[in-house]
Amino acid sequence: MAEADSSERQQPVTSALSQSAQPSPLPKPVPTTHHVPCIPHTPHVAALSTCPGRGKIAKFISPEEMTSRDYYFDSYAHFGIHEEMLKDEVRTLTYRNAMYHNKHVFKDKIVLDVGSGTGILSMFAANAGAKHVYGIECSSISEYSEKIIKSNHLHNVITIFKGKVEEVELPVEKVDIIISEWMGYCLFYESMLNTVIFARDKWLKPGGLMFPDRAALYVVAIEDRQYKDFKIHWWENVYGFDMSCIRNVAIKEPLVDVVDPKQVVTNSCLLKEVDIYTVKPEDLSFTSAFCLQIQRNDYVHALVTYFNIEFTKCHKKTGFSTG
Ligand code: SAH
C-alpha cells in the first residue's frame, strides 16, 4: 500500500496458538479505528522508486536527515511502526519461540530474513544458533538495525543488506531457512508475500524451511448497530449538515478495529489457506465463496476477517491468531 502511514500497520490483536508463547497477553485495545483505503492497484505509484508491498521509498537518505515528508514515503523508516510491531508480544514472542525452541533446526544454518526491520528476527535466528543470517531491508530503519546488531555483538553473524529483496545480491547462492514477518491487514494487504515468494524461489535450497509456512484467512459476521451508526450513518448529519456522499465512500472501505466476541453472530469460514512452500503469486488474486451459518436471531452489520499463522516445522505446535 503506497501511502500507508505508520498507524495503518497494526497487529496488536494477536493471540498465541502455541502453549509455549509466554506471556500471552489479552488483546490490547486499539485506541483508534484504522482506515484502510481501497487503492489496491496504483500503477503510477509503482513507477516511483518503490519498496514493493509496503510503502513507497522516495530516496535513500540517512534517518537523521529525514523529515516528516520522507517518513510519509518511507513509513517503515520511523521507529514508531517498529515499536508497535515489537510491542505486539504475541507476534514477536511466537517468532522467538519458533526459533529458540527449535535450536536443532537453526544450528549452523544460513538464514535469510526478508524485510528485517530493526533486525529482531535476525537476532533471534543468530541466538538460535544460525551460522550466518542475511537480513534484507529496503527502508532506512536498516541503518539503525546495523547499529542494534553491533551493540548486541552479533555483527559477526548477521549481515544486513539495504535494498529491495528483488534487487539485492547475496554473497551466497542458497539459504537453508527463510524467516519473514510479511503479514498485513486481512493477511494479504501490503502484498509483501510476493516478496517472500520471490526470495523463496531465488534463494531457498531444495528442502529448505520457511518460517512461518502456513497462513489461513477466516471470515465471521457481526452485529454492531452502534458501530455502524458511529462510522457510517454519522455522515448523514454532521453538525446539522448532510454529508452522506462521504457515507457512501466510507461504507466501501474496510476498517481495522477490535471486535468484541459477543458481537459475533455466525460460525467462522475459511476463505483462503496458504502453504508458503508452494504458493505462487497468481494464487494471491482470488475469489472465495463462503457460507456463514447464522447462530442467533440478530442483524448482520459487518463481515470481519482474521488470520492464523503457523510454524509447522517446530517441535511443538507454534503459531498465533489475530482472532
Ligand atoms: N522483521 C521485522 C520487520 C517486519 S515489517 C519485525 O518482525 O519486526 C516488514 C519489513 O519489510 C518492513 O521493515 C519493510 O520496510 C520491509 N520490506 C517490505 N518489502 C520489502 C522489500 N521488497 N524488500 C526489502 N524490505 C522490504
Side-chain angles (χ1 to χ4, degrees):
M1 193 57 246
E3 279 98 19
D5 75 23
S6 65
S7 68
E8 282 182 8
R9 189 184 197 282
Q10 134 314 325
Q11 302 174 319
V13 198
T14 48
S15 70
L17 296 177
S18 124
Q19 298 98 341
S20 51
Q22 297 280 339
S24 177
L26 288 170
K28 298 179 191 87
V30 178
T32 51
T33 308
H34 298 261
H35 288 260
V36 184
C38 289
I39 317 171
H41 187 233
T42 44
H44 60 288
V45 167
L48 293 172
S49 173
T50 59
C51 187
R54 298 203 181 192
K56 47 186 181 178
I57 303 301
K59 50 192 181 292
F60 292 149
I61 55 171
S62 92
E64 277 86 10
E65 289 172 64
M66 287 179 76
T67 65
S68 55
R69 190 172 181 280
D70 300 311
Y71 284 122
Y72 177 78
F73 287 112
D74 180 6
S75 57
Y76 278 103
H78 194 272
F79 66 85
I81 195 166
H82 296 279
E83 178 181 357
E84 209 172 337
M85 289 189 286
L86 294 169
K87 283 182 174 166
D88 181 344
E89 290 186 358
V90 172
R91 176 202 88 108
T92 310
L93 289 177
T94 305
Y95 273 86
R96 191 179 76 174
N97 288 341
M99 296 186 242
Y100 282 14
H101 295 173
N102 294 281
K103 289 193 172 149
H104 58 288
V105 174
F106 282 81
K107 192 169 168 15
D108 297 330
K109 294 294 179 356
I110 302 293
V111 177
L112 173 63
D113 181 358
V114 172
S116 46
T118 52
I120 185 76
L121 304 184
S122 294
M123 294 191 287
F124 288 157
N127 281 351
K131 184 168 156 196
H132 206 91
V133 187
Y134 297 101
I136 310 178
E137 174 54 55
C138 63
S139 152
S140 303
I141 195 74
S142 63
E143 286 168 38
Y144 288 110
S145 75
E146 285 177 318
K147 291 181 185 162
I148 293 166
I149 287 158
K150 203 149 194 215
S151 306
N152 290 282
H153 316 291
L154 289 168
H155 50 287
N156 292 332
V157 191
I158 304 172
T159 312
I160 301 293
F161 292 89
K162 183 171 183 189
K164 288 192 256 177
V165 167
E166 292 78 359
E167 292 168 4
V168 157
E169 302 252 347
L170 287 185
V172 287
E173 282 259 304
K174 296 284 167 192
V175 302
D176 299 298
I177 304 176
I178 292 179
I179 55 178
S180 186
E181 201 281 82
W182 51 266
M183 296 80 74
Y185 293 141
C186 203
L187 187 58
F188 301 109
Y189 183 68
E190 300 187 40
S191 303
M192 199 184 148
L193 184 51
N194 282 306
T195 299
V196 173
I197 295 172
F198 176 93
R200 177 198 69 194
D201 294 346
K202 184 166 181 186
W203 289 299
L204 191 66
K205 270 185 192 161
L209 303 181
M210 300 295 295
F211 272 64
D213 57 352
R214 212 159 251 288
L217 180 68
Y218 295 86
V219 65
V220 293
I222 60 161
E223 177 283 326
D224 205 336
R225 175 173 304 282
Q226 220 185 354
Y227 190 66
K228 190 172 178 189
D229 284 344
F230 180 64
K231 296 300 301 176
I232 306 296
H233 296 301
W234 181 81
W235 291 104
E236 290 158 17
N237 180 355
V238 181
Y239 299 93
F241 297 103
D242 178 1
M243 296 195 184
S244 355
C245 56
I246 298 185
R247 175 201 61 195
N248 300 342
V249 199
I251 194 140
K252 292 182 187 153
E253 286 195 3
L255 294 162
V256 178
D257 218 327
V258 176
V259 171
D260 183 334
K262 288 200 284 290
Q263 313 284 162
V264 176
V265 298
T266 65
N267 63 339
S268 83
C269 267
L270 178 69
L271 287 181
K272 181 84 174 168
E273 230 176 344
V274 183
D275 178 341
I276 313 296
Y277 288 105
T278 54
V279 65
K280 296 191 277 303
E282 54 268 34
D283 300 333
L284 302 179
S285 306
F286 61 92
T287 55
S288 175
F290 61 90
C291 180
L292 289 169
Q293 277 150 5
I294 309 290
Q295 289 172 330
R296 69 176 190 229
N297 186 8
D298 215 330
Y299 291 89
V300 166
H301 291 114
L303 296 174
V304 180
T305 63
Y306 66 93
F307 60 82
N308 294 353
I309 293 297
E310 265 191 85
F311 301 76
T312 73
K313 294 297 188 290
C314 291
H315 176 61
K316 270 208 304 201
K317 189 173 167 63
T318 305
F320 61 86
S321 173
T322 63

